[in-house]
Amino acid sequence: MNDTILVLNGPNLNLLGQRQPEIYGRATLADVEALCREAAAAHGLSAECRQSNAEHVLIDAIHEFRIGSAGIVINAGAYTHTSVAILDALNACEVPVIECHISNVHRREAFRHHSYVSLAATAVLAGFGTHGYALAIRHLAHLRADKTA
Ligand code: CA2
């Protein structure tokens, strides 16, 4: 098992901090990625941060980290609600997967209430703002410490 957590952000999350601050806050994607690297480092881990608007690029990243990493934090964006292909990739993971949403999807439109990602996730965070990524990383560190104890 290595020390790297994959933090994977899906479509449109490159626009963080530029639009809809009332829903997603004012932090940019670069801010979120810096927060993730800091949170990982606080636990002696490192964060590899990727973002893509393309489903196949997200799937390739999951494949790269599905075995031997310290886990995956994924905000699949709108693919959360539509992508069986991302679910299949996550189901092939041997490492813990934490699903993270900035907004509380359950307070929003009905189509956001269903998540394919949740079917493969170890845990789910929604509505914690961008702080949720740090919580997800902390939980992966906790699971890892349990496993190596
Ligand atoms: O709350 C979340 O983190 C979401 O995963 C964000 C997705 C949305 O489709 C999910 O239902 C919930 C959308 C990300 C779009 O991000 C933007 C950020 C700023 C401006 C425009 C889009």
Side-chain angles (χ1 to χ4, degrees), residues 6 20 52 55 61 68 85 90 95 105 110 133-134:
L6 171 65
Q20 296 182 274
S52 180
E55 194 175 25
L90 293 172
V95 299
V105 284
Y133 290 86

Side-chain angles (χ1 to χ4, degrees), residues 12-13 15 19-20 24 75 77-78 81 101-103 105 112:
N12 297 308
L13 286 154
L15 299 178
R19 287 189 167 265
Q20 296 182 274
Y24 300 116
N75 182 348
H81 317 297
H101 298 287
I102 298 165
S103 65
V105 284
R112 296 186 204 273

Side-chain angles (χ1 to χ4, degrees), residues 88-102:
D88 287 345
L90 293 172
N91 273 331
C93 287
E94 292 182 6
V95 299
V97 173
I98 313 294
E99 176 180 2
C100 182
H101 298 287
I102 298 165

Side-chain angles (χ1 to χ4, degrees), residues 25-115:
R26 296 201 177 274
T28 64
L29 180 63
D31 294 334
V32 172
E33 293 182 344
L35 172 111
C36 289
R37 283 190 281 270
E38 213 174 282
H43 297 283
L45 300 172
S46 66
E48 168 74 22
C49 300
R50 311 252 183 107
Q51 186 276 332
S52 180
N53 296 320
E55 194 175 25
H56 71 279
V57 176
L58 298 170
I59 291 167
D60 286 344
I62 294 166
H63 289 176
E64 219 181 296
F65 285 82
R66 74 184 182 89
I67 296 171
S69 71
I72 298 174
V73 177
I74 180 167
N75 182 348
Y79 284 141
T80 302
H81 317 297
T82 63
S83 179
V84 175
I86 289 176
L87 169 62
D88 287 345
L90 293 172
N91 273 331
C93 287
E94 292 182 6
V95 299
V97 173
I98 313 294
E99 176 180 2
C100 182
H101 298 287
I102 298 165
S103 65
N104 179 358
V105 284
H106 299 290
R107 252 186 104 162
R108 300 182 65 191
E109 304 95 322
F111 67 84
R112 296 186 204 273
H113 298 175
H114 177 264
S115 164

